[in-house]
Amino acid sequence: MAEIFLTGATGFVGRHLVPALIREGHHVWCLVRSVEKAAQLRARGCQVVVGDLTSDSFSVEGAEIVIHLAALHHGLPTLISRVTAEGTARLVQAAQAQGVKKILSLSTVTAAQNPSWPYAYAAWLAEQAIQASSVRYTILRSTVIVGPGDPFLGGIMYMAQAWPVVPIIGSGRTRFQPVSVFDIVRCVLQAITDERYTNRVLTVGGPEVLSYEQIVDTVFEALRISKRKISLPRRTTRFCVRWLERMGVRTPFVPGHFLSQDLIASSPSVIEDEFGFRPQALRAVLHAILSRCVTLEKSVA
């Protein structure tokens, strides 16, 4: 059992990781900004630190391991940098000063020294801050993470079910290597306790490389529906989405839907090679999502 300080506990991956950490017997402290979310985490058996990565309003004192999931993926470049890059640097400084033994950070395969892509650049700066510290670390660079509650696959499923036609942004040939959130959780649990992963940057992804259009077709197959697909110019669609969202209209689109750069790991077998288990294919992830929806509908009925 370890004393763990967790950021991003209420995010997509965090919501799946928290119960897994508790089941493993770890004592979990979660950094949250919202008092309401703090109450929810306490009810699940966590201790809570109310604070913010963009300020010095938190302490990691007493923690043996820091698991860092928090990041801002889109928005104003200055805010992305404040949360993702500067927030990580502040967290690392606190961990170093207060005797934390290890930091595990969930990053992205898009991390790059390229200021023109704010999130990728901020993620790269965050990685640099972690690697420059004296604290032992593991960085997991992930491809797109999918599962119950994820915005990328969830957005495609929503469009497939609710819209008369489903847009394919750009050519539809951008390649992805979707990885299950349950497999990411397994990797995190192994990496925080196994010294083989110490001071390493590991790229993790699912067992399949699929184009965006192939992912849409797989969603159609899982939902047992057939919809017309239309190709939309990437730049025009992004402009329209931003305009709608400024007007207060929510859309199912997330930045991943607009990518022109492939989002893939070095090999489809990377998790099997490094962590010793075969990750779930996209069809299995979709089955898990749909099974959970059916279970929820039955419980409500």
Side-chain angles (χ1 to χ4, degrees), residues 15 29 55 82 109 144 162 187 192 215 255 272:
R15 291 194 301 272
W29 293 80
S55 69
R82 278 185 62 203
V109 293
V144 64
C187 291
I192 60 175
I215 292 173
E272 192 168 5

Side-chain angles (χ1 to χ4, degrees), residues 58-63 66 89-101 103 133-135:
F58 66 91
S59 169
V60 299
E61 187 175 359
V66 167
R90 189 173 285 109
L91 179 66
V92 168
Q93 187 176 25
Q96 194 166 257
Q98 294 169 9
V100 168
K101 295 177 181 177
I103 297 173
S133 79
S134 60
V135 182

Side-chain angles (χ1 to χ4, degrees), residues 6-23 28 30-32 37 40-41 44 46 67 69-70 73 106 145-152 154 181-182 184-185 188 250 292:
L6 174 65
T7 73
T10 60
F12 165 52
V13 176
R15 291 194 301 272
H16 293 276
L17 180 61
V18 165
L21 289 170
I22 292 173
R23 282 196 303 270
V28 184
C30 301
L31 178 66
V32 294
K37 290 179 179 178
Q40 294 171 0
L41 286 165
R44 300 178 77 173
C46 299
I67 300 178
L69 306 180
H73 299 86
L106 184 61
I145 304 173
V146 295
D150 91 86
F152 176 80
V181 67
F182 304 113
I184 290 295
V185 167
V188 170
R250 293 188 64 184
R292 183 167 294 197

Side-chain angles (χ1 to χ4, degrees), residues 144-168:
V144 64
I145 304 173
V146 295
D150 91 86
F152 176 80
L153 197 57
I156 295 173
M157 293 178 73
Y158 173 81
M159 289 185 280
Q161 292 173 298
W163 290 9
V165 295
V166 175
I168 302 295

Side-chain angles (χ1 to χ4, degrees), residues 103-243:
I103 297 173
L104 183 141
S105 179
L106 184 61
S107 186
T108 170
V109 293
T110 62
Q113 193 177 1
N114 178 9
S116 65
W117 189 349
Y119 171 59
Y121 184 53
W124 179 80
L125 289 173
E127 291 184 1
Q128 299 305 300
I130 292 167
Q131 293 178 79
S133 79
S134 60
V135 182
R136 293 179 299 162
Y137 66 86
T138 301
I139 296 172
L140 298 180
R141 282 185 162 187
S142 176
T143 59
V144 64
I145 304 173
V146 295
D150 91 86
F152 176 80
L153 197 57
I156 295 173
M157 293 178 73
Y158 173 81
M159 289 185 280
Q161 292 173 298
W163 290 9
V165 295
V166 175
I168 302 295
I169 311 300
S171 68
R173 291 194 293 269
T174 302
R175 296 184 302 160
F176 295 83
Q177 194 177 337
V179 59
S180 164
V181 67
F182 304 113
D183 293 328
I184 290 295
V185 167
R186 287 185 68 177
C187 291
V188 170
L189 293 176
Q190 284 187 221
I192 60 175
T193 57
D194 194 325
E195 289 301 315
R196 290 179 300 166
Y197 307 111
T198 298
N199 294 342
R200 294 181 65 192
V201 179
L202 298 164
T203 302
V204 289
E208 306 164 291
V209 174
L210 302 167
S211 71
Y212 183 83
E213 187 164 7
Q214 285 175 318
I215 292 173
V216 171
D217 289 339
T218 306
V219 168
F220 285 174
E221 179 187 316
L223 294 173
R224 298 180 181 178
I225 61 175
S226 178
K227 289 282 180 79
R228 182 186 168 205
K229 296 175 290 187
I230 57 169
S231 180
L232 296 178
R234 186 174 283 108
R235 183 175 296 180
T236 303
T237 309
R238 186 185 287 116
F239 173 82
C240 292
V241 167
R242 286 176 179 168
W243 182 81

